[in-house]
Structures are given as C-alpha cells and as structure tokens.
Amino acid sequence: MSRSSAASRLTQAFRDRRPNIVHSPSAFDRARPPAEPSPRLKGNLGTGGLLLTALALNAPLAMMAGFMPVQIGLGLGSATPLVFLVVMVLVLVFAVGLVTMARHMRQPGAYYTYITAGLGRIPGLGAGFLALTGYLLLGCGSYVLSAILADNLFHGFLHGPSLPWWLWAVVVWGLVTVLSLFNIDVSTKVLGVFLCIEVAIVLIWDARVLANGGPQGLGLDVTAQLGTGSPGVALLFGVASLIGFESLQVFRAETHNPFRTIPRASYLTVVCLAGFYALGSYSYLVAFGTGPALASAASPAASFLGSLGQYAGAVVRDLANVMLLTSAFAALLAIHNITARYCFTLGRDGVLPTWLGRVNSRHHSPTQAAAAVALAIFVPLALVAVLHVNPVTAYVAMAGLGIWTAILLMFVTSFAVVLFFRNRPGLESSTWKTWTAPSLAVIGFGCVVAQATLNSGVLIGGSSAVATCCILAVVAVAVAAMLYAAWLQTGRPHTWARIGEQDGQAVE
C-alpha cells in the first residue's frame, strides 16, 4: 500500500468519527441519484435590511415601555446604563467567533448548522429543534402581547368595544402569516417603516429629557447602586434585550454578498441596540429620578407613556400608543420569518417532512415552512384561549422560556465555535477569533445561563417549581431530538448523512 493511499484511508476514518465539513460528497450522497434542480431561496437583503430585521425583532418601543422599567426596578437601578455596556462587550465577543465560523457555512441554519459542524450531528439536531421550539415560544408569547396591546389601543385609548384578546390575536396572526409567505424583501419594507417611527419616538423623548432634565437635574450617579440590587437579574435582562442579532445567519441565502453583509449587520445590531438601551435607560432614570424609577416597575407601560406625554407632548404620547402595537407586529413578523427558515432548513435536510424544505418558485421564499410555522403557533394560542389562561401570565411564561432557550443556545454555540476551530487548526490564522473570543464567550454565557436558571421564577413568572418544570419540558425536546438523531444513524442513514449539510456536502 502506498503512503498516499494509507494517508487517504486514515483521513477518511477520522472523518467518519468526528463531525467535519468535507469537500467531497459522502458515501450516502454518491449512492443517491442526482436531485432535480429546484428553486432556491432568493432575496436582496443588504446591511440595512438585515439591521432592520434584527432591530425589529427586539421591538425597541415595546422594550422601553414594558421591559426597561422592570429591568431598572429588579436589577441594578441607576447602574442599568453600565449593564448594557458590559453586555454589549460580552455579546460582541460572542459575535466574533460566530461570524468567523459563518464564513465557512454555506446554508442557512444558524444555531443548528453551527452546533452540528462544531459538536456533531446528534447535539446539532438537538440544537435545531431547541432553536425551533424557542422561537415558536417567542412567537406565541408575542402574539398574546400584541392582542393585549390591541385591546389597550382600541378599547382603552380609542374607546372602542372591548373584544376578547384571542380575537385580536387571530387578526394579527392572519396579517403576519400572509406577509411571511412572500419574499423576505416585502417583510423588510414593512419592518423598516414601523421601526423608523418607533425609534424616532424614543429618540425624541431622549432628547427632550436630556435637554430639560428631571427632578434631580441631569446628574446621575450610575455607580451608586452597584453594590445593591441583583447583578444576576440585571445581566440576564441585559442579554435578553440584545437577543436577535444571531438570527441574521438564517437569511444567508437571501442576502446580497453574505460574507461581508451579515458580519457587518451583526456587529451594527449589537452596538445599535446596546447604545439605544443604554441611552434610553439613562434618560428614564433622569426623567423619573432614581427612587420613582425603581417604583415605576409596578406599572411600566403607563409610567413610560406618562413620561412621553410630559416631555415630548401629547401628540408623541398618542402616536406611541399606536406604535406599541405596530412594534409588537414588526417583532412578530421578524420572529415568524426566522422560525420559518429554521423549519425550512430542517425540512431541507430531511429530518422534518421534506415538503417543508421546498422553495416557492414565484416568491423564492419558504412558503410551506412559513405556513407550517403559522399553524404550529396557532395551536398553543388556541389552547391558551380554550383553557382560559390569563393572557398576561401566558405571555410572560412563553416569552421568558423562549429567552431562556436563546441564552442556552448562545452558550452551546460558543462551545461549538471553540471545538470547530480546534479541530481545524489551519482554517483561520487569528487566535483571537478562533480561540480567545469564543472561550471568553463560553465563560460569559455560562454565567448568564446559570443566572437565567437560578432566576427562572423571575424570568418565566410563577413559582420556581413551575419555572423549573417549564425548563425541563424544553430540555426534553432537545433530548428527544438527539435520540431521534441517534436512531437516524442506523434507521435512515441517508437522512443522517444530510444533517447539517452544506451545499450538498455533508457534515461527517
């Protein structure tokens, strides 16, 4: 046997044992007949479109009205602006490894694709179903929130008839579902209009507060409460405020020049969101004064809208009442599009029904996956309505559980990035991008996951026992998906070979 032949066999044996991205078809791929040409996802997303999608997912106005007062009250109070800056550094460090690894991925799939490439098919498929579950939970919770906001707008503000929350949820669900069936460029235009208006409202309020000062003037000692409050809750809520930038990777196939555009949009999203919330939290503390700001957590939306009327005028306050609903709508549209692409990727790889991985030949969008996601969200919404669950309780539980899932996936992805580059020492030359930054992200997000779990009662609502049961249910989904992957290895080897596939090149 020649030396080159022996080396070739040794290399193949190594690939059979460890996950890796190879540059030739696997044995299973060679055995399969050539696939018929099919439409591919297409879009013309640039940096601006991606940025709008990620920012809209965070619903900046709704976050300022419903999330910021709670974070200030339960976290570190006057130190909240510093928390956002610390969290920005942590998330940027995570982004370094993520976008570096993204250069070596060709198919959309984000967490699913990257964890498969770094840790292997079994944990990768577990992560894929975990991500799909997390975004479905965020979507369900956001639909309930949009229904609550719609009732507040049409009944409380416009003095119309009071309708059941689920009726408003169905109306919003129908609108979002229709828009999600079209090309991603359509959704981006809708997101852009809503986002620009809601961001403008907050920035006008920021400017007026900082121009006029509050009860204590413009002075604010941001270090006064660093030794008090709950650093863990503050860190947890801070990271939750920046969730969404990593989802841009699922639009890779619909992005113009993704190797430059997606990294740029990812970094910009983190900086813009962190800066927006740091400035917003500072303005909030100035507008109310430290003591009243802490107390305002008891009625966050009313407190923020009242401050808008005081500093920016009744017109801006009334517009904000309307834009709170459109802010939730824009977030839902972004969540729905992201979830549909996870579903599409899992269908394309054959682990879900293959019809989910088909592309609409007219709109070049994952229409069938988007429709399936709409149905998957509708079912739990119907159950909440039929069982007469309090909508606020349902929203907090589903949104909090979705946030916990996203934070866990960020931690596992950081670990996957480290192993991905450790097993491919010649792939990138930068130690900072391939080892230092991802390792720091593992440590940082490990702490955040621990805090999210320890404070699950605060994040999800209810007692710690109920929150723990909810977390275990989500973990059970990932475990079931991993067992499914293990079965595929022997039961359906063709499908096993396609898990994490990259442009027809399997992850071995």
Side-chain angles (χ1 to χ4, degrees):
M1 181 185 297
S2 67
R3 182 176 301 177
S4 61
S5 176
S8 175
R9 294 193 178 190
L10 183 62
T11 301
Q12 184 59 45
F14 177 77
R15 285 173 176 167
D16 290 339
R17 289 171 57 86
R18 295 199 63 86
N20 194 8
I21 296 179
V22 298
H23 300 286
S24 60
S26 68
F28 297 122
D29 290 325
R30 290 194 295 270
R32 289 180 295 182
E36 292 294 326
S38 60
R40 297 175 66 89
L41 292 175
K42 287 185 181 180
N44 195 34
L45 289 174
T47 302
L50 290 169
L51 184 63
L52 290 174
T53 299
L55 293 179
L57 186 149
N58 279 268
L61 182 60
M63 290 286 284
M64 284 297 303
F67 200 78
M68 186 64 69
V70 176
Q71 180 170 356
I72 291 172
L74 299 181
L76 291 179
S78 62
T80 301
L82 294 180
V83 172
F84 283 110
L85 298 181
V86 171
V87 168
M88 179 183 71
V89 173
L90 172 61
V91 177
L92 284 174
V93 167
F94 169 73
V96 168
L98 185 71
V99 299
T100 303
M101 186 174 175
R103 291 205 293 264
H104 306 283
M105 304 289 106
R106 295 296 184 273
Q107 292 278 19
Y111 291 135
Y112 161 59
T113 302
Y114 302 144
I115 292 175
T116 300
L119 301 181
R121 291 189 183 93
I122 291 178
L125 193 58
F129 277 88
L130 188 64
L132 185 60
T133 301
Y135 276 109
L136 285 173
L137 285 167
L138 284 174
C140 290
S142 297
Y143 274 112
V144 177
L145 174 63
S146 67
I148 295 171
L149 292 173
D151 184 66
N152 288 340
L153 173 63
F154 290 101
H155 175 62
F157 180 66
L158 298 177
H159 307 294
S162 179
L163 300 175
W165 71 267
W166 54 264
L167 185 59
W168 290 116
V170 169
V171 171
V172 176
W173 175 85
L175 293 173
V176 171
T177 298
V178 169
L179 283 173
S180 70
L181 300 178
F182 295 99
N183 187 275
I184 186 63
D185 295 333
V186 176
S187 295
T188 302
K189 293 174 183 177
V190 176
L191 294 175
V193 172
F194 290 157
L195 183 68
C196 289
I197 298 174
E198 62 179 286
V199 168
I201 289 172
V202 178
L203 291 180
I204 290 171
W205 173 74
D206 286 337
R208 295 291 295 172
V209 169
L210 297 179
N212 298 327
Q216 300 168 349
L218 288 175
L220 178 65
D221 185 0
V222 295
T223 64
Q225 294 178 286
L226 283 177
T228 62
S230 176
V233 172
L235 182 64
L236 170 60
F237 281 12
V239 172
S241 301
L242 301 187
I243 285 175
F245 86 95
E246 78 291 339
S247 62
L248 297 180
Q249 304 294 338
V250 301
F251 298 109
R252 176 167 296 276
E254 298 159 276
T255 301
H256 175 68
N257 194 2
F259 294 101
R260 293 183 59 187
T261 305
I262 291 180
R264 185 186 303 145
S266 298
Y267 291 127
L268 279 173
T269 298
V270 175
V271 173
C272 288
L273 282 174
F276 181 85
Y277 292 132
L279 176 62
S281 60
Y282 184 88
S283 299
Y284 194 92
L285 288 159
V286 169
F288 284 87
T290 303
L294 295 174
S296 69
S299 54
S303 299
F304 179 71
L305 290 172
S307 183
L308 273 177
Q310 178 184 351
Y311 285 94
V315 173
V316 174
R317 180 201 61 204
D318 294 345
L319 180 60
N321 264 298
V322 177
M323 293 308 299
L324 277 174
L325 177 57
T326 61
S327 178
F329 179 86
L332 270 170
L333 187 54
I335 291 170
H336 200 115
N337 280 323
I338 292 165
T339 311
R341 279 145 185 84
Y342 268 107
C343 190
F344 165 83
T345 302
L346 292 168
R348 180 205 64 203
D349 288 355
V351 294
L352 287 178
T354 54
W355 56 267
L356 292 171
R358 295 173 187 165
V359 177
N360 183 280
S361 59
R362 179 179 178 184
H363 302 295
H364 294 282
S365 61
T367 301
Q368 291 173 293
V373 167
L375 180 61
I377 287 177
F378 186 85
V379 172
L381 284 176
L383 287 175
V384 171
V386 169
L387 296 176
H388 301 288
V389 178
N390 183 285
V392 175
T393 302
Y395 159 65
V396 172
M398 290 188 288
L401 198 55
I403 290 170
W404 183 88
T405 303
I407 293 172
L408 176 63
L409 285 166
M410 294 172 86
F411 167 69
V412 178
T413 302
S414 300
F415 190 60
V417 172
V418 172
L419 291 185
F420 178 84
F421 287 113
R422 191 192 70 175
N423 294 326
R424 300 160 182 82
L427 202 59
E428 292 279 346
S429 59
S430 172
T431 303
W432 164 251
K433 293 180 179 179
T434 61
W435 171 253
T436 308
S439 298
L440 291 173
V442 170
I443 296 170
F445 279 104
C447 295
V448 178
V449 168
Q451 289 296 330
T453 305
L454 291 172
N455 294 283
S456 58
V458 176
L459 184 64
I460 299 173
S463 66
S464 297
V466 171
T468 301
C469 289
C470 291
I471 288 175
L472 290 176
V474 170
V475 172
V477 171
V479 172
M482 293 171 71
L483 293 174
Y484 174 46
W487 175 80
L488 289 174
Q489 187 172 9
T490 54
R492 287 168 53 187
H494 289 281
T495 302
W496 164 262
R498 292 165 58 186
I499 296 176
E501 208 170 41
Q502 294 291 318
D503 281 345
Q505 296 169 358
V507 176
E508 293 284 20

